[in-house]
């Protein structure tokens, strides 16, 4: 069992720690069951958080 965590917090943690030990390509996959409006918000959030890393 896990506790809920905000997606933005997860994405920011990935951004901060992803290349600390490796310079290899990182692929993030998400399983989502979202409406198109929410999917657009997630895409905007990822673009804002990762910026040029994408």
């Amino acid at each position: 069992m896990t506790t809920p965590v905000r997606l933005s917090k997860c994405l920011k943690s990935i951004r901060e720690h992803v290349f600390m030990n490796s310079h290899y390509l990182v692929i993030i996959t998400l399983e989502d069951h979202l409406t198109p409006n929410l999917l657009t918000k997630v895409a905007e959030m990822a673009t804002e958080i990762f910026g040029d890393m994408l």
Side-chain angles (χ1 to χ4, degrees):
M1 300 187 101
T2 61
T3 57
V5 179
R6 292 187 157 280
L7 177 61
S8 61
K9 185 174 182 178
C10 292
L11 295 178
K12 288 175 183 176
S13 181
I14 291 169
R15 181 195 65 206
E16 292 172 13
H17 302 285
V18 71
F19 294 115
M20 292 186 93
N21 296 314
S22 176
H23 296 285
Y24 290 107
L25 177 67
V26 174
I27 298 172
I28 301 169
T29 61
L30 302 171
E31 179 180 344
D32 63 69
H33 304 277
L34 303 173
T35 64
N37 289 340
L38 288 176
L39 190 57
T40 299
K41 289 181 181 184
V42 170
E44 290 170 353
M45 184 186 310
T47 301
E48 179 183 317
I49 291 171
F50 291 110
D52 292 338
M53 295 176 83
L54 295 175

